[in-house]
mmCIF file of all heavy atoms in Angstrom:
data_model
loop_
_atom_site.group_PDB
_atom_site.id
_atom_site.type_symbol
_atom_site.label_atom_id
_atom_site.label_comp_id
_atom_site.label_asym_id
_atom_site.label_seq_id
_atom_site.Cartn_x
_atom_site.Cartn_y
_atom_site.Cartn_z
ATOM 1 N N ARG H 1 0.819 -1.217 0.000
ATOM 2 C CA ARG H 1 0.000 0.000 0.000
ATOM 3 C C ARG H 1 0.852 1.266 0.000
ATOM 4 O O ARG H 1 0.497 2.282 0.595
ATOM 5 C CB ARG H 1 -0.986 -0.009 1.164
ATOM 6 C CG ARG H 1 -2.019 -1.117 1.048
ATOM 7 C CD ARG H 1 -2.795 -1.268 2.341
ATOM 8 N NE ARG H 1 -3.693 -2.391 2.350
ATOM 9 C CZ ARG H 1 -3.320 -3.658 2.579
ATOM 10 N NH1 ARG H 1 -2.065 -3.946 2.778
ATOM 11 N NH2 ARG H 1 -4.198 -4.638 2.603
ATOM 12 N N GLU H 2 2.018 1.181 -0.667
ATOM 13 C CA GLU H 2 2.908 2.331 -0.749
ATOM 14 C C GLU H 2 2.588 3.198 -1.959
ATOM 15 O O GLU H 2 2.824 4.399 -1.936
ATOM 16 C CB GLU H 2 4.367 1.872 -0.818
ATOM 17 C CG GLU H 2 4.822 1.217 0.466
ATOM 18 C CD GLU H 2 6.231 0.665 0.373
ATOM 19 O OE1 GLU H 2 6.832 0.721 -0.707
ATOM 20 O OE2 GLU H 2 6.723 0.179 1.400
ATOM 21 N N ILE H 3 2.084 2.553 -3.014
ATOM 22 C CA ILE H 3 1.686 3.290 -4.201
ATOM 23 C C ILE H 3 0.330 2.763 -4.656
ATOM 24 O O ILE H 3 -0.025 1.627 -4.379
ATOM 25 C CB ILE H 3 2.713 3.158 -5.352
ATOM 26 C CG1 ILE H 3 2.858 1.690 -5.773
ATOM 27 C CG2 ILE H 3 4.051 3.740 -4.960
ATOM 28 C CD1 ILE H 3 3.666 1.501 -7.037
ATOM 29 N N GLU H 4 -0.421 3.604 -5.315
ATOM 30 C CA GLU H 4 -1.708 3.163 -5.830
ATOM 31 C C GLU H 4 -1.608 3.091 -7.346
ATOM 32 O O GLU H 4 -1.288 4.071 -8.002
ATOM 33 C CB GLU H 4 -2.818 4.120 -5.403
ATOM 34 C CG GLU H 4 -4.181 3.571 -5.718
ATOM 35 C CD GLU H 4 -5.279 4.306 -4.995
ATOM 36 O OE1 GLU H 4 -5.078 4.644 -3.818
ATOM 37 O OE2 GLU H 4 -6.318 4.552 -5.622
ATOM 38 N N THR H 5 -1.851 1.911 -7.881
ATOM 39 C CA THR H 5 -1.797 1.699 -9.319
ATOM 40 C C THR H 5 -3.122 1.110 -9.784
ATOM 41 O O THR H 5 -3.915 0.619 -8.977
ATOM 42 C CB THR H 5 -0.666 0.720 -9.684
ATOM 43 O OG1 THR H 5 -0.962 -0.558 -9.098
ATOM 44 C CG2 THR H 5 0.687 1.210 -9.184
ATOM 45 N N ASP H 6 -3.329 1.149 -11.092
ATOM 46 C CA ASP H 6 -4.529 0.515 -11.644
ATOM 47 C C ASP H 6 -4.520 -0.976 -11.352
ATOM 48 O O ASP H 6 -5.550 -1.560 -11.033
ATOM 49 C CB ASP H 6 -4.614 0.761 -13.149
ATOM 50 C CG ASP H 6 -4.964 2.203 -13.476
ATOM 51 O OD1 ASP H 6 -5.514 2.901 -12.593
ATOM 52 O OD2 ASP H 6 -4.689 2.630 -14.617
ATOM 53 N N MET H 7 -3.335 -1.601 -11.447
ATOM 54 C CA MET H 7 -3.234 -3.031 -11.153
ATOM 55 C C MET H 7 -3.542 -3.284 -9.679
ATOM 56 O O MET H 7 -4.218 -4.254 -9.340
ATOM 57 C CB MET H 7 -1.840 -3.559 -11.506
ATOM 58 C CG MET H 7 -1.698 -5.061 -11.324
ATOM 59 S SD MET H 7 -2.824 -6.039 -12.341
ATOM 60 C CE MET H 7 -1.998 -5.995 -13.890
ATOM 61 N N GLY H 8 -3.076 -2.417 -8.799
ATOM 62 C CA GLY H 8 -3.379 -2.546 -7.375
ATOM 63 C C GLY H 8 -4.865 -2.444 -7.105
ATOM 64 O O GLY H 8 -5.423 -3.196 -6.298
ATOM 65 N N LYS H 9 -5.525 -1.516 -7.788
ATOM 66 C CA LYS H 9 -6.976 -1.367 -7.642
ATOM 67 C C LYS H 9 -7.686 -2.630 -8.120
ATOM 68 O O LYS H 9 -8.636 -3.095 -7.490
ATOM 69 C CB LYS H 9 -7.476 -0.159 -8.425
ATOM 70 C CG LYS H 9 -7.067 1.176 -7.833
ATOM 71 C CD LYS H 9 -7.544 2.307 -8.723
ATOM 72 C CE LYS H 9 -6.966 3.630 -8.271
ATOM 73 N NZ LYS H 9 -7.312 4.719 -9.189
ATOM 74 N N LEU H 10 -7.204 -3.178 -9.249
ATOM 75 C CA LEU H 10 -7.801 -4.394 -9.785
ATOM 76 C C LEU H 10 -7.627 -5.549 -8.803
ATOM 77 O O LEU H 10 -8.572 -6.294 -8.530
ATOM 78 C CB LEU H 10 -7.178 -4.751 -11.135
ATOM 79 C CG LEU H 10 -7.670 -6.040 -11.773
ATOM 80 C CD1 LEU H 10 -9.156 -5.959 -12.080
ATOM 81 C CD2 LEU H 10 -6.871 -6.329 -13.039
ATOM 82 N N PHE H 11 -6.428 -5.702 -8.246
ATOM 83 C CA PHE H 11 -6.187 -6.761 -7.263
ATOM 84 C C PHE H 11 -7.082 -6.588 -6.036
ATOM 85 O O PHE H 11 -7.573 -7.564 -5.476
ATOM 86 C CB PHE H 11 -4.717 -6.818 -6.841
ATOM 87 C CG PHE H 11 -3.850 -7.586 -7.787
ATOM 88 C CD1 PHE H 11 -2.777 -6.975 -8.407
ATOM 89 C CD2 PHE H 11 -4.088 -8.924 -8.055
ATOM 90 C CE1 PHE H 11 -1.969 -7.681 -9.280
ATOM 91 C CE2 PHE H 11 -3.292 -9.645 -8.922
ATOM 92 C CZ PHE H 11 -2.226 -9.025 -9.547
ATOM 93 N N SER H 12 -7.286 -5.357 -5.612
ATOM 94 C CA SER H 12 -8.168 -5.105 -4.466
ATOM 95 C C SER H 12 -9.598 -5.526 -4.780
ATOM 96 O O SER H 12 -10.261 -6.144 -3.947
ATOM 97 C CB SER H 12 -8.136 -3.626 -4.079
ATOM 98 O OG SER H 12 -6.865 -3.282 -3.583
ATOM 99 N N GLU H 13 -10.059 -5.221 -5.980
ATOM 100 C CA GLU H 13 -11.412 -5.618 -6.383
ATOM 101 C C GLU H 13 -11.532 -7.138 -6.459
ATOM 102 O O GLU H 13 -12.544 -7.711 -6.047
ATOM 103 C CB GLU H 13 -11.769 -4.994 -7.724
ATOM 104 C CG GLU H 13 -11.971 -3.495 -7.655
ATOM 105 C CD GLU H 13 -12.176 -2.862 -9.024
ATOM 106 O OE1 GLU H 13 -12.406 -3.594 -10.006
ATOM 107 O OE2 GLU H 13 -12.090 -1.631 -9.110
ATOM 108 N N VAL H 14 -10.492 -7.788 -6.994
ATOM 109 C CA VAL H 14 -10.498 -9.250 -7.079
ATOM 110 C C VAL H 14 -10.551 -9.840 -5.675
ATOM 111 O O VAL H 14 -11.308 -10.774 -5.406
ATOM 112 C CB VAL H 14 -9.272 -9.768 -7.859
ATOM 113 C CG1 VAL H 14 -9.106 -11.264 -7.704
ATOM 114 C CG2 VAL H 14 -9.365 -9.383 -9.320
ATOM 115 N N LYS H 15 -9.752 -9.307 -4.760
ATOM 116 C CA LYS H 15 -9.727 -9.816 -3.383
ATOM 117 C C LYS H 15 -11.086 -9.615 -2.724
ATOM 118 O O LYS H 15 -11.583 -10.510 -2.047
ATOM 119 C CB LYS H 15 -8.625 -9.112 -2.580
ATOM 120 C CG LYS H 15 -8.530 -9.532 -1.131
ATOM 121 C CD LYS H 15 -8.491 -11.024 -0.887
ATOM 122 C CE LYS H 15 -7.326 -11.715 -1.458
ATOM 123 N NZ LYS H 15 -7.412 -13.190 -1.309
ATOM 124 N N GLU H 16 -11.706 -8.466 -2.918
ATOM 125 C CA GLU H 16 -13.030 -8.221 -2.355
ATOM 126 C C GLU H 16 -14.047 -9.228 -2.883
ATOM 127 O O GLU H 16 -14.856 -9.760 -2.122
ATOM 128 C CB GLU H 16 -13.485 -6.799 -2.667
ATOM 129 C CG GLU H 16 -12.749 -5.732 -1.879
ATOM 130 C CD GLU H 16 -13.087 -4.325 -2.337
ATOM 131 O OE1 GLU H 16 -14.165 -4.126 -2.960
ATOM 132 O OE2 GLU H 16 -12.281 -3.420 -2.093
ATOM 133 N N SER H 17 -13.990 -9.504 -4.175
ATOM 134 C CA SER H 17 -14.943 -10.464 -4.742
ATOM 135 C C SER H 17 -14.642 -11.874 -4.258
ATOM 136 O O SER H 17 -15.562 -12.673 -4.045
ATOM 137 C CB SER H 17 -14.934 -10.406 -6.269
ATOM 138 O OG SER H 17 -13.722 -10.878 -6.787
ATOM 139 N N GLU H 18 -13.375 -12.186 -4.049
ATOM 140 C CA GLU H 18 -13.014 -13.511 -3.529
ATOM 141 C C GLU H 18 -13.566 -13.709 -2.121
ATOM 142 O O GLU H 18 -14.042 -14.790 -1.775
ATOM 143 C CB GLU H 18 -11.498 -13.689 -3.517
ATOM 144 C CG GLU H 18 -11.051 -15.041 -3.015
ATOM 145 C CD GLU H 18 -9.544 -15.162 -2.921
ATOM 146 O OE1 GLU H 18 -8.829 -14.619 -3.776
ATOM 147 O OE2 GLU H 18 -9.073 -15.805 -1.957
ATOM 148 N N LEU H 19 -13.519 -12.671 -1.313
ATOM 149 C CA LEU H 19 -13.981 -12.774 0.070
ATOM 150 C C LEU H 19 -15.480 -13.047 0.176
ATOM 151 O O LEU H 19 -15.926 -13.640 1.153
ATOM 152 C CB LEU H 19 -13.617 -11.502 0.844
ATOM 153 C CG LEU H 19 -12.126 -11.271 1.073
ATOM 154 C CD1 LEU H 19 -11.889 -9.896 1.697
ATOM 155 C CD2 LEU H 19 -11.519 -12.365 1.938
ATOM 156 N N ILE H 20 -16.254 -12.632 -0.823
ATOM 157 C CA ILE H 20 -17.697 -12.858 -0.774
ATOM 158 C C ILE H 20 -18.146 -13.973 -1.713
ATOM 159 O O ILE H 20 -19.336 -14.268 -1.790
ATOM 160 C CB ILE H 20 -18.477 -11.554 -1.080
ATOM 161 C CG1 ILE H 20 -18.165 -11.041 -2.476
ATOM 162 C CG2 ILE H 20 -18.204 -10.509 -0.013
ATOM 163 C CD1 ILE H 20 -19.039 -9.894 -2.939
ATOM 164 N N SER H 21 -17.199 -14.588 -2.402
ATOM 165 C CA SER H 21 -17.553 -15.640 -3.357
ATOM 166 C C SER H 21 -17.819 -16.967 -2.646
ATOM 167 O O SER H 21 -17.503 -17.141 -1.470
ATOM 168 C CB SER H 21 -16.450 -15.819 -4.397
ATOM 169 O OG SER H 21 -15.329 -16.439 -3.806
ATOM 170 N N TYR H 22 -18.368 -17.894 -3.382
ATOM 171 C CA TYR H 22 -18.658 -19.227 -2.855
ATOM 172 C C TYR H 22 -17.378 -20.033 -2.661
ATOM 173 O O TYR H 22 -17.320 -20.927 -1.841
ATOM 174 C CB TYR H 22 -19.612 -19.944 -3.810
ATOM 175 C CG TYR H 22 -20.141 -21.241 -3.269
ATOM 176 C CD1 TYR H 22 -21.099 -21.263 -2.257
ATOM 177 C CD2 TYR H 22 -19.670 -22.450 -3.758
ATOM 178 C CE1 TYR H 22 -21.580 -22.456 -1.756
ATOM 179 C CE2 TYR H 22 -20.154 -23.655 -3.264
ATOM 180 C CZ TYR H 22 -21.107 -23.649 -2.263
ATOM 181 O OH TYR H 22 -21.574 -24.834 -1.771
ATOM 182 N N GLY H 23 -16.340 -19.716 -3.397
ATOM 183 C CA GLY H 23 -15.063 -20.415 -3.298
ATOM 184 C C GLY H 23 -14.163 -20.051 -4.462
ATOM 185 O O GLY H 23 -14.505 -19.192 -5.270
ATOM 186 N N VAL H 24 -13.003 -20.696 -4.526
ATOM 187 C CA VAL H 24 -12.044 -20.417 -5.592
ATOM 188 C C VAL H 24 -11.658 -21.704 -6.304
ATOM 189 O O VAL H 24 -11.705 -22.794 -5.730
ATOM 190 C CB VAL H 24 -10.769 -19.718 -5.065
ATOM 191 C CG1 VAL H 24 -11.084 -18.359 -4.483
ATOM 192 C CG2 VAL H 24 -10.049 -20.574 -4.047
ATOM 193 N N ILE H 25 -11.267 -21.558 -7.548
ATOM 194 C CA ILE H 25 -10.731 -22.665 -8.336
ATOM 195 C C ILE H 25 -9.226 -22.490 -8.368
ATOM 196 O O ILE H 25 -8.718 -21.401 -8.646
ATOM 197 C CB ILE H 25 -11.324 -22.660 -9.758
ATOM 198 C CG1 ILE H 25 -12.828 -22.903 -9.681
ATOM 199 C CG2 ILE H 25 -10.636 -23.696 -10.625
ATOM 200 C CD1 ILE H 25 -13.549 -22.762 -10.992
ATOM 201 N N VAL H 26 -8.497 -23.562 -8.057
ATOM 202 C CA VAL H 26 -7.044 -23.501 -7.938
ATOM 203 C C VAL H 26 -6.409 -24.360 -9.028
ATOM 204 O O VAL H 26 -6.759 -25.531 -9.177
ATOM 205 C CB VAL H 26 -6.591 -23.993 -6.544
ATOM 206 C CG1 VAL H 26 -5.091 -23.883 -6.396
ATOM 207 C CG2 VAL H 26 -7.299 -23.200 -5.454
ATOM 208 N N ASN H 27 -5.486 -23.779 -9.762
ATOM 209 C CA ASN H 27 -4.791 -24.509 -10.814
ATOM 210 C C ASN H 27 -3.611 -25.269 -10.212
ATOM 211 O O ASN H 27 -2.453 -24.976 -10.445
ATOM 212 C CB ASN H 27 -4.310 -23.563 -11.916
ATOM 213 C CG ASN H 27 -3.720 -24.310 -13.086
ATOM 214 O OD1 ASN H 27 -3.886 -25.514 -13.225
ATOM 215 N ND2 ASN H 27 -3.012 -23.596 -13.931
ATOM 216 N N SER H 28 -3.927 -26.230 -9.364
ATOM 217 C CA SER H 28 -2.943 -27.087 -8.720
ATOM 218 C C SER H 28 -3.672 -28.355 -8.329
ATOM 219 O O SER H 28 -4.859 -28.494 -8.598
ATOM 220 C CB SER H 28 -2.349 -26.393 -7.491
ATOM 221 O OG SER H 28 -1.317 -27.172 -6.935
ATOM 222 N N PHE H 29 -2.966 -29.276 -7.702
ATOM 223 C CA PHE H 29 -3.649 -30.455 -7.210
ATOM 224 C C PHE H 29 -3.274 -30.686 -5.761
ATOM 225 O O PHE H 29 -2.194 -30.333 -5.314
ATOM 226 C CB PHE H 29 -3.373 -31.698 -8.077
ATOM 227 C CG PHE H 29 -1.924 -32.035 -8.264
ATOM 228 C CD1 PHE H 29 -1.306 -32.990 -7.486
ATOM 229 C CD2 PHE H 29 -1.184 -31.402 -9.249
ATOM 230 C CE1 PHE H 29 0.020 -33.317 -7.662
ATOM 231 C CE2 PHE H 29 0.145 -31.726 -9.438
ATOM 232 C CZ PHE H 29 0.755 -32.682 -8.647
ATOM 233 N N TYR H 30 -4.210 -31.211 -5.022
ATOM 234 C CA TYR H 30 -4.100 -31.337 -3.576
ATOM 235 C C TYR H 30 -2.813 -32.037 -3.155
ATOM 236 O O TYR H 30 -2.134 -31.603 -2.221
ATOM 237 C CB TYR H 30 -5.321 -32.084 -3.035
ATOM 238 C CG TYR H 30 -5.278 -32.289 -1.540
ATOM 239 C CD1 TYR H 30 -5.703 -31.284 -0.685
ATOM 240 C CD2 TYR H 30 -4.794 -33.468 -0.986
ATOM 241 C CE1 TYR H 30 -5.652 -31.449 0.689
ATOM 242 C CE2 TYR H 30 -4.733 -33.643 0.380
ATOM 243 C CZ TYR H 30 -5.158 -32.631 1.217
ATOM 244 O OH TYR H 30 -5.095 -32.803 2.577
ATOM 245 N N GLU H 31 -2.443 -33.124 -3.837
ATOM 246 C CA GLU H 31 -1.278 -33.910 -3.432
ATOM 247 C C GLU H 31 0.035 -33.142 -3.541
ATOM 248 O O GLU H 31 0.999 -33.468 -2.875
ATOM 249 C CB GLU H 31 -1.183 -35.200 -4.272
ATOM 250 C CG GLU H 31 -2.305 -36.178 -4.009
ATOM 251 C CD GLU H 31 -3.592 -35.860 -4.767
ATOM 252 O OE1 GLU H 31 -3.634 -34.852 -5.517
ATOM 253 O OE2 GLU H 31 -4.569 -36.601 -4.606
ATOM 254 N N LEU H 32 0.075 -32.110 -4.355
ATOM 255 C CA LEU H 32 1.292 -31.321 -4.506
ATOM 256 C C LEU H 32 1.538 -30.434 -3.293
ATOM 257 O O LEU H 32 2.670 -30.266 -2.868
ATOM 258 C CB LEU H 32 1.216 -30.459 -5.773
ATOM 259 C CG LEU H 32 2.424 -29.579 -6.072
ATOM 260 C CD1 LEU H 32 3.670 -30.425 -6.297
ATOM 261 C CD2 LEU H 32 2.147 -28.709 -7.298
ATOM 262 N N GLU H 33 0.494 -29.881 -2.725
ATOM 263 C CA GLU H 33 0.636 -28.962 -1.598
ATOM 264 C C GLU H 33 -0.503 -29.116 -0.600
ATOM 265 O O GLU H 33 -1.255 -28.179 -0.351
ATOM 266 C CB GLU H 33 0.769 -27.522 -2.095
ATOM 267 C CG GLU H 33 -0.154 -27.160 -3.232
ATOM 268 C CD GLU H 33 0.297 -25.931 -3.998
ATOM 269 O OE1 GLU H 33 1.287 -25.286 -3.628
ATOM 270 O OE2 GLU H 33 -0.368 -25.614 -4.983
ATOM 271 N N PRO H 34 -0.621 -30.313 0.008
ATOM 272 C CA PRO H 34 -1.756 -30.563 0.901
ATOM 273 C C PRO H 34 -1.784 -29.660 2.129
ATOM 274 O O PRO H 34 -2.863 -29.255 2.564
ATOM 275 C CB PRO H 34 -1.598 -32.031 1.295
ATOM 276 C CG PRO H 34 -0.155 -32.341 1.079
ATOM 277 C CD PRO H 34 0.258 -31.473 -0.084
ATOM 278 N N GLU H 35 -0.623 -29.337 2.696
ATOM 279 C CA GLU H 35 -0.618 -28.490 3.900
ATOM 280 C C GLU H 35 -1.226 -27.119 3.604
ATOM 281 O O GLU H 35 -1.950 -26.558 4.414
ATOM 282 C CB GLU H 35 0.801 -28.306 4.455
ATOM 283 C CG GLU H 35 1.460 -29.580 4.910
ATOM 284 C CD GLU H 35 2.310 -30.240 3.827
ATOM 285 O OE1 GLU H 35 2.259 -29.804 2.667
ATOM 286 O OE2 GLU H 35 3.022 -31.196 4.148
ATOM 287 N N TYR H 36 -0.898 -26.578 2.431
ATOM 288 C CA TYR H 36 -1.403 -25.250 2.098
ATOM 289 C C TYR H 36 -2.870 -25.301 1.660
ATOM 290 O O TYR H 36 -3.624 -24.369 1.917
ATOM 291 C CB TYR H 36 -0.512 -24.584 1.045
ATOM 292 C CG TYR H 36 0.810 -24.229 1.662
ATOM 293 C CD1 TYR H 36 1.887 -25.101 1.601
ATOM 294 C CD2 TYR H 36 0.963 -23.047 2.374
ATOM 295 C CE1 TYR H 36 3.093 -24.801 2.217
ATOM 296 C CE2 TYR H 36 2.163 -22.735 2.996
ATOM 297 C CZ TYR H 36 3.218 -23.613 2.913
ATOM 298 O OH TYR H 36 4.394 -23.315 3.530
ATOM 299 N N SER H 37 -3.267 -26.388 1.032
ATOM 300 C CA SER H 37 -4.681 -26.565 0.686
ATOM 301 C C SER H 37 -5.519 -26.613 1.955
ATOM 302 O O SER H 37 -6.549 -25.940 2.063
ATOM 303 C CB SER H 37 -4.874 -27.853 -0.110
ATOM 304 O OG SER H 37 -4.176 -27.788 -1.321
ATOM 305 N N ASN H 38 -5.071 -27.408 2.925
ATOM 306 C CA ASN H 38 -5.782 -27.503 4.201
ATOM 307 C C ASN H 38 -5.757 -26.170 4.942
ATOM 308 O O ASN H 38 -6.757 -25.763 5.538
ATOM 309 C CB ASN H 38 -5.175 -28.599 5.077
ATOM 310 C CG ASN H 38 -5.398 -29.975 4.495
ATOM 311 O OD1 ASN H 38 -6.331 -30.206 3.737
ATOM 312 N ND2 ASN H 38 -4.520 -30.904 4.825
ATOM 313 N N HIS H 39 -4.627 -25.505 4.928
ATOM 314 C CA HIS H 39 -4.485 -24.216 5.593
ATOM 315 C C HIS H 39 -5.498 -23.221 5.020
ATOM 316 O O HIS H 39 -6.189 -22.520 5.778
ATOM 317 C CB HIS H 39 -3.059 -23.691 5.408
ATOM 318 C CG HIS H 39 -2.808 -22.363 6.040
ATOM 319 N ND1 HIS H 39 -2.543 -22.214 7.376
ATOM 320 C CD2 HIS H 39 -2.800 -21.118 5.525
ATOM 321 C CE1 HIS H 39 -2.370 -20.938 7.653
ATOM 322 N NE2 HIS H 39 -2.524 -20.248 6.546
ATOM 323 N N TYR H 40 -5.599 -23.165 3.723
ATOM 324 C CA TYR H 40 -6.515 -22.223 3.081
ATOM 325 C C TYR H 40 -7.954 -22.462 3.512
ATOM 326 O O TYR H 40 -8.673 -21.528 3.864
ATOM 327 C CB TYR H 40 -6.384 -22.311 1.555
ATOM 328 C CG TYR H 40 -7.217 -21.291 0.828
ATOM 329 C CD1 TYR H 40 -6.765 -19.985 0.678
ATOM 330 C CD2 TYR H 40 -8.458 -21.615 0.303
ATOM 331 C CE1 TYR H 40 -7.527 -19.031 0.030
ATOM 332 C CE2 TYR H 40 -9.229 -20.669 -0.346
ATOM 333 C CZ TYR H 40 -8.755 -19.385 -0.485
ATOM 334 O OH TYR H 40 -9.519 -18.439 -1.115
ATOM 335 N N THR H 41 -8.363 -23.725 3.502
ATOM 336 C CA THR H 41 -9.757 -24.002 3.842
ATOM 337 C C THR H 41 -10.032 -23.921 5.336
ATOM 338 O O THR H 41 -11.074 -23.413 5.744
ATOM 339 C CB THR H 41 -10.198 -25.378 3.299
ATOM 340 O OG1 THR H 41 -9.328 -26.374 3.797
ATOM 341 C CG2 THR H 41 -10.186 -25.396 1.787
ATOM 342 N N LYS H 42 -9.100 -24.388 6.157
ATOM 343 C CA LYS H 42 -9.345 -24.406 7.606
ATOM 344 C C LYS H 42 -9.087 -23.052 8.262
ATOM 345 O O LYS H 42 -9.894 -22.581 9.062
ATOM 346 C CB LYS H 42 -8.483 -25.479 8.270
ATOM 347 C CG LYS H 42 -8.934 -26.882 7.910
ATOM 348 C CD LYS H 42 -8.061 -27.928 8.545
ATOM 349 C CE LYS H 42 -8.538 -29.316 8.125
ATOM 350 N NZ LYS H 42 -7.619 -30.360 8.532
ATOM 351 N N VAL H 43 -7.966 -22.427 7.943
ATOM 352 C CA VAL H 43 -7.610 -21.171 8.609
ATOM 353 C C VAL H 43 -8.406 -19.997 8.056
ATOM 354 O O VAL H 43 -8.908 -19.171 8.809
ATOM 355 C CB VAL H 43 -6.092 -20.905 8.491
ATOM 356 C CG1 VAL H 43 -5.721 -19.537 9.033
ATOM 357 C CG2 VAL H 43 -5.313 -21.993 9.218
ATOM 358 N N PHE H 44 -8.552 -19.939 6.729
ATOM 359 C CA PHE H 44 -9.276 -18.821 6.134
ATOM 360 C C PHE H 44 -10.763 -19.115 5.974
ATOM 361 O O PHE H 44 -11.542 -18.230 5.658
ATOM 362 C CB PHE H 44 -8.665 -18.433 4.789
ATOM 363 C CG PHE H 44 -7.237 -17.965 4.905
ATOM 364 C CD1 PHE H 44 -6.260 -18.522 4.103
ATOM 365 C CD2 PHE H 44 -6.871 -16.987 5.810
ATOM 366 C CE1 PHE H 44 -4.953 -18.103 4.203
ATOM 367 C CE2 PHE H 44 -5.560 -16.562 5.919
ATOM 368 C CZ PHE H 44 -4.595 -17.122 5.117
#
């Protein structure tokens, strides 16, 4: 948050929509990073 750019604004809008969405689609597979998959669903 040191500079405000159009890309920063876009990322903020994407993050806001992610927070109210039903979920996200991840271009990965669970077995590659199970700890982080679990972390995302359980912690967040």
Side-chain angles (χ1 to χ4, degrees):
R1 295 169 186 80
E2 293 176 356
I3 61 170
E4 190 165 320
T5 64
D6 288 339
M7 184 60 79
K9 289 177 189 175
L10 177 62
F11 277 121
S12 293
E13 290 174 13
V14 168
K15 178 50 63 186
E16 288 172 22
S17 68
E18 181 184 323
L19 293 173
I20 61 171
S21 72
Y22 189 73
V24 296
I25 296 173
V26 182
N27 186 14
S28 185
F29 55 98
Y30 179 84
E31 293 82 0
L32 180 62
E33 42 199 356
E35 297 93 351
Y36 290 93
S37 297
N38 293 335
H39 179 81
Y40 185 81
T41 56
K42 290 179 181 171
V43 174
F44 298 129

